[in-house]
């Protein structure tokens, strides 16, 4: 089945992503010193095996960018200081004052209280880690087939981009300025939980203190991946649930405030993280993200899907003109499992009930992978 999928796969420039992820994975595993070679080989073998088995490939393919980000982030811990660029201590405070006229992080964190500590902790220390799973589940149930894998890929590549910038352009966060001033920094310095230390003290645990002290990227203030993750979640959730966009926006602003109150990021870091997420989202939306259809509440209500931005030159969808199946594959027909695939959105006939004709879906430059056998995500090309 896997060999057949690869033989029939229509290769395009988008497939270069797998080469990139392979290089990133090899680099990361080569740098990582612990666990040892046996465990690393075992993990890599399990990942490759999951790509060969159709049942697991449907999950592994869209998860690859996230896996690449997690391994790469952990590997940063083992990159020796002599191979890293110097740490920028003055750049972010200077940008903060130039762009906003003041250090917003210091202003927001000047007045502390247990109440505000808890309010800031909720988005930064709790929902940040659980939101990707909750959002994925909700988009899987209520979004068009193919929404969750597109979100997973965009989420993974956004985080990979952010960690690369943090590694190549290391900057000190606000807690460093509060603790050391603008004195030069070096990679031997430990991280800090900053405002989250109050939560550890309140709960009587050593959770955030030990975690942030041993962070693989201590000087990774710019860009803020907390902001990046929240932004891309808000954008995809707003696409799936447009009526709830104001609620999602409030959550993003709440997360922004908490990062500055807890002295983990400057405002410029938050903006940078959101910009990276916006770029990832709009690339996905323009080519790969399935469009919502009126009157459809659950994924199982979709008999066909259309991906990418709607274009005026596709207005023939109501003219009754029969499309060329070679250029516009019909959902439910034979397709490349690594690009076009079937889903619960598969039409039982070759015609959609609303348009009375075949639904056009382009598959020459798609971004998606395997799908669930009958209820899985559909990885489509642009329409």
């Amino acid at each position: 089945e896997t060999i057949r999928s690869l033989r029939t796969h229509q290769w395009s420039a988008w497939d270069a992503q797998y080469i990139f992820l392979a290089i990133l994975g090899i680099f990361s595993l080569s740098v990582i010193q612990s666990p040892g070679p046996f465990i690393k080989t075992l993990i890599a073998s399990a990942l490759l095996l999951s790509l060969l088995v159709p049942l697991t490939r449907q999950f592994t393919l869209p998860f690859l960018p996230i896996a690449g980000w997690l391994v790469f982030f952990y590997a940063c811990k083992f990159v020796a200081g002599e191979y890293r660029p110097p740490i920028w201590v003055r750049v972010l405070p200077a940008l903060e004052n130039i762009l906003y006229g003041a250090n917003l992080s210091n202003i927001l964190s000047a007045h502390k209280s247990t109440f505000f500590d808890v309010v800031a902790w909720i988005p930064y220390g709790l929902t940040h880690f659980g939101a990707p799973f909750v959002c994925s589940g909700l988009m899987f149930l209520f979004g068009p087939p193919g929404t969750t894998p597109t979100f997973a890929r965009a989420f993974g590549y956004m985080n990979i981009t952010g960690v690369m910038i943090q590694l190549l352009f290391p900057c000190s966060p606000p807690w460093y300025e509060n603790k050391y001033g603008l004195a030069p920094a070096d990679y031997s310095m430990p991280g800090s939980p900053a405002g989250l230390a109050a939560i550890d003290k309140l709960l009587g645990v050593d959770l955030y203190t030990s975690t942030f002290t041993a962070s693989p990227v201590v000087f990774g203030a710019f860009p803020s991946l907390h902001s990046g993750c929240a932004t891309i979640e808000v954008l995809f959730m707003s696409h799936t649930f447009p009526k709830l966009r104001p609620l999602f926006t409030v959550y993003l602003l709440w997360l922004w405030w908490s990062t500055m109150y807890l002295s983990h990021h400057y405002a410029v870091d938050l903006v940078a993280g959101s910009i990276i997420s916006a770029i990832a989202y709009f690339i996905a939306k323009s080519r790969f993200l399935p469009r919502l259809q009126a009157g459809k509440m659950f994924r199982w209500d979709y008999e066909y899907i259309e991906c990418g931005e709607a274009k005026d030159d596709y207005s023939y969808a109501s003219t009754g003109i029969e499309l060329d199946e070679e250029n516009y594959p019909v959902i439910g027909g034979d397709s490349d499992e690594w690009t076009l695939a079937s889903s619960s959105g598969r039409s039982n006939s070759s015609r959609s009930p609303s348009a009375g004709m075949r639904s056009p879906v382009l598959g020459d430059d798609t971004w998606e992978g395997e799908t669930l056998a009958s209820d899985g995500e559909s990885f489509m090309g642009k329409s």
Side-chain angles (χ1 to χ4, degrees):
E1 185 72 15
T2 301
I3 295 176
R4 184 193 68 81
S5 299
L6 290 173
R7 290 179 62 183
T8 59
H9 176 65
Q10 298 179 7
W11 299 97
S12 69
W14 293 103
D15 293 306
Q17 66 178 298
Y18 300 114
I19 300 177
F20 166 75
L21 290 174
I23 295 174
L24 183 68
I26 293 172
F27 166 79
S28 300
L29 292 176
S30 300
V31 169
I32 292 175
Q33 300 173 7
S34 177
F38 176 76
I39 300 298
K40 291 190 290 184
T41 303
L42 189 63
I43 294 174
S45 301
L47 181 64
L48 291 175
L49 181 62
S50 67
L51 289 172
L52 296 177
V53 179
L55 180 63
T56 54
R57 184 168 67 240
Q58 57 195 323
F59 301 103
T60 307
L61 269 181
F63 180 72
L64 278 180
I66 297 178
W69 156 55
L70 294 173
V71 174
F72 179 49
F73 177 73
Y74 178 69
C76 291
K77 177 180 181 180
F78 301 96
V79 178
E82 56 264 29
Y83 298 111
R84 296 191 180 194
I87 302 166
W88 297 89
V89 174
R90 301 174 181 269
V91 170
L92 296 184
L95 285 176
E96 192 88 347
N97 284 278
I98 292 173
L99 295 176
Y100 310 112
N103 189 320
L104 298 182
S105 176
N106 287 344
I107 293 175
L108 292 176
S109 61
H111 303 285
K112 297 284 189 178
S113 73
T114 302
F115 173 77
F116 286 121
D117 290 343
V118 174
V119 172
W121 166 56
I122 292 172
Y124 194 88
L126 290 180
T127 60
H128 168 74
F129 300 100
F133 301 98
V134 174
C135 292
S136 297
L138 291 174
M139 286 186 283
F140 179 84
L141 291 174
F142 298 101
T147 303
T148 299
T150 305
F151 166 71
R153 289 180 181 271
F155 185 87
Y157 284 120
M158 178 276 298
N159 278 286
I160 289 175
T161 302
V163 174
M164 284 185 170
I165 295 174
Q166 292 173 350
L167 190 64
L168 297 175
F169 182 59
C171 296
S172 59
W175 61 258
Y176 180 90
E177 183 183 1
N178 297 336
K179 190 174 183 179
Y180 301 104
L182 298 178
D186 63 77
Y187 291 106
S188 65
M189 293 179 170
S192 170
L196 288 175
I199 300 299
D200 278 356
K201 182 178 179 180
L202 179 66
L203 299 178
V205 298
D206 181 16
L207 176 61
Y208 297 104
T209 300
S210 57
T211 300
F212 281 91
T213 299
S215 173
V217 186
V218 172
F219 299 99
F222 183 91
S224 167
L225 292 183
H226 270 75
S227 173
C229 291
T231 300
I232 204 165
E233 288 158 4
V234 165
L235 290 171
F236 272 91
M237 289 293 282
S238 297
H239 169 81
T240 308
F241 307 98
K243 292 183 179 180
L244 298 179
R245 183 175 289 112
L247 178 62
F248 301 140
T249 303
V250 169
Y251 168 72
L252 177 60
L253 295 176
W254 183 16
L255 186 282
W256 275 25
W257 167 79
S258 71
T259 60
M260 291 185 286
Y261 174 83
L262 295 171
S263 299
H264 279 269
H265 289 286
Y266 295 99
V268 66
D269 307 332
L270 307 178
V271 174
S274 292
I275 290 175
I276 296 173
S277 289
I279 293 173
Y281 169 75
F282 285 109
I283 290 176
K285 184 180 179 183
S286 66
R287 290 179 173 270
F288 317 110
L289 188 60
R291 300 198 294 269
L292 297 179
Q293 297 176 14
K296 305 294 175 63
M297 181 175 182
F298 298 100
R299 61 179 285 108
W300 299 278
D301 295 333
Y302 287 80
E303 297 191 5
Y304 69 97
I305 63 172
E306 298 169 297
C307 298
E309 296 282 6
K311 295 181 174 58
D312 293 337
D313 57 343
Y314 293 159
S315 59
Y316 54 69
S318 60
T319 63
I321 300 175
E322 191 71 16
L323 301 180
D324 180 3
E325 294 185 25
E326 181 178 354
N327 296 322
Y328 300 92
V330 179
I331 296 181
D334 293 336
S335 62
D336 181 356
E337 292 179 345
W338 291 73
T339 48
L340 296 176
S342 60
S343 71
S344 62
R346 173 184 292 185
S347 175
N348 293 329
S349 65
S350 62
R351 301 175 183 274
S352 77
S354 58
M357 62 170 296
R358 301 179 188 272
S359 171
V361 181
L362 293 182
D364 290 338
D365 52 0
T366 65
W367 201 17
E368 299 302 340
E370 186 67 79
T371 62
L372 294 173
S374 59
D375 290 330
E377 298 292 352
S378 176
F379 308 137
M380 310 301 295
K382 64 181 180 179
S383 65

